[in-house]
Amino acid sequence: MAGVPFDQMTGKIWFNGEFVDWADAKVHVLTHGLHYGSSVFEGERAYGGVIFKSREHTERLHESARVLDFKLPYSVDEIEEAKRQVLQINGFTDAYLRPVAWRGSEMMGVSAQKNKINVAVAAWQWPSYFDPEERLKGIRLDIAAYRRPDPATAPVKSKAAGLYMICTISKHAAEAKGYADAMMLDWQGRVAECTGANIFFVKDGVIHTPIADCFLDGITRRTAIELARARGWEVVERRIMPDELEGFSECFITGTAAEVTPVSEIGPYRFTPGEICETMLKDYLVAVMPASEVPEKLVAAG
Ligand code: PMP
């Protein structure tokens, strides 16, 4: 899928408080964020012009920076306003938003106290292609060789660029074998999440998901838990070992990009997307979309 490279699209990017032309939103090669991974980001989606759980994402961006020992020079309200303007100025209603914050070039070494903190917000069009039948076929996952690190080893609660090194390597390995993505275990060998999404399983009508103690507690994950409980379904957050996968009937992943995506296969284990997958993916779409945008078939699904 080689489209227009991301640095060659057109539009405006919010860059340190100002709008710049897409082509001019550049950083220098001697940027701390590039050399030492001092960068945090968000991934958000707007549906019908409304960013889903926008403030939670901005608060998480602030918290991600705090964990990496830097402070954003823009308040939550200011970044909220920047995101709103980015959508407006580019004329987007259904879009993906990418706020990012990184340490600049004033110091070039491990220490970084004097580096300027830069913040940018880019967005690009990304409609949600909703085809329940296609999605219910489920995607195939490999099991990653890398594991999510111990919280004593890495700042696991930050959505920090550096934590994605092992995700890219794992996703490449999975894709080379024909899988869509990889499920990662944690440092203790328990099921953790995927390379950019959280994971859920179903057994006897009960939903099980790993405790988010060493990986991102996704905003979509929390939404899915609320939606399932609102249906009266039991959701258990617990430690899940990989050999338990044998006993689960359904599996789905959650994330801003993935939304709710059913899974049919993880390594040697098989799942059949069923009632819970179907209901969760529809309930999620209804939750994220402004009421006026909800497709007829979802309203009918109730
Ligand atoms: N885990 C990882 C590693 C991710 O990159 C993402 C996507 N941000 C998620 C989980 C899901 O998070 P959210 O639901 O907040 O998008």
Side-chain angles (χ1 to χ4, degrees):
M1 202 182 73
V4 180
F6 275 81
D7 57 353
Q8 287 170 34
M9 301 199 298
T10 52
K12 298 275 186 195
I13 291 177
W14 186 93
F15 199 119
N16 288 332
E18 283 167 25
F19 280 99
V20 299
D21 284 335
W22 200 281
D24 298 333
K26 290 180 177 166
V27 296
H28 195 270
V29 289
L30 296 178
T31 294
H32 197 277
L34 184 61
H35 293 246
Y36 299 98
S38 53
S39 163
V40 296
F41 66 100
E42 270 305 317
E44 320 183 20
R45 265 171 105 150
Y47 296 86
V50 180
I51 303 170
F52 184 63
K53 304 222 164 158
S54 182
R55 207 172 175 87
E56 276 182 50
H57 281 282
T58 302
E59 285 167 354
R60 186 168 74 183
L61 185 71
H62 264 258
E63 178 59 13
S64 291
R66 191 196 62 77
V67 171
L68 262 56
D69 197 30
F70 66 86
K71 188 172 183 337
L72 300 193
Y74 303 97
S75 67
V76 169
D77 284 332
E78 285 168 329
I79 294 173
E80 283 296 289
E81 179 57 17
K83 293 192 302 187
R84 195 191 62 73
Q85 288 181 13
V86 166
L87 288 182
Q88 191 186 36
I89 208 164
N90 289 294
F92 296 157
T93 51
D94 295 288
Y96 183 84
L97 289 99
R98 172 54 60 86
V100 56
W102 68 98
R103 285 186 161 121
S105 307
E106 290 72 14
M107 292 175 78
M108 190 39 78
V110 174
S111 274
Q113 296 91 337
K114 292 198 169 63
N115 279 337
K116 177 178 173 183
I117 306 304
N118 299 277
V119 183
V121 181
W124 50 90
Q125 275 179 300
W126 191 359
S128 173
Y129 299 105
F130 182 68
D131 181 349
E133 268 157 45
E134 190 54 39
R135 275 205 203 179
L136 280 166
K137 287 182 188 157
I139 57 165
R140 299 172 58 242
L141 303 179
D142 190 13
I143 299 176
Y146 274 108
R147 295 180 170 198
R148 305 304 307 184
D150 175 352
T153 301
V156 297
K157 293 289 168 192
S158 175
K159 191 166 164 61
L163 292 171
Y164 286 85
M165 285 191 308
I166 56 173
C167 299
T168 299
I169 298 169
S170 303
K171 190 148 177 160
H172 282 185
E175 287 177 348
K177 290 193 246 168
Y179 291 99
D181 194 4
M183 181 190 80
M184 304 180 82
L185 304 179
D186 73 8
W187 60 291
Q188 292 181 305
R190 297 158 170 164
V191 173
E193 60 165 354
C194 290
T195 63
N198 295 117
I199 195 158
F200 291 78
F201 301 95
V202 177
K203 186 180 188 174
D204 300 328
V206 176
I207 300 174
H208 302 256
T209 193
I211 299 165
D213 59 1
C214 64
F215 56 85
L216 204 68
D217 179 8
I219 291 170
T220 320
R221 174 186 183 275
R222 295 201 295 262
T223 306
I225 292 173
E226 279 169 27
L227 292 171
R229 289 186 176 147
R231 286 257 172 206
W233 291 335
E234 191 183 344
V235 182
V236 188
E237 292 179 73
R238 65 176 181 86
R239 319 225 171 260
I240 299 172
M241 296 308 291
D243 58 12
E244 286 184 62
L245 265 55
E246 183 80 61
F248 294 125
S249 56
E250 295 186 54
C251 172
F252 59 91
I253 62 169
T254 63
T256 297
E259 300 174 318
V260 171
T261 298
V263 174
S264 59
E265 226 178 288
I266 305 178
Y269 306 104
R270 300 289 176 272
F271 310 92
T272 310
E275 190 202 339
I276 293 190
C277 278
E278 186 170 357
T279 309
M280 290 304 301
L281 76 86
K282 288 181 176 171
D283 280 0
Y284 184 70
L285 269 287
V286 171
V288 295
M289 283 183 188
S292 59
E293 305 270 329
V294 175
E296 211 35 53
K297 54 189 166 193
L298 292 187
V299 180

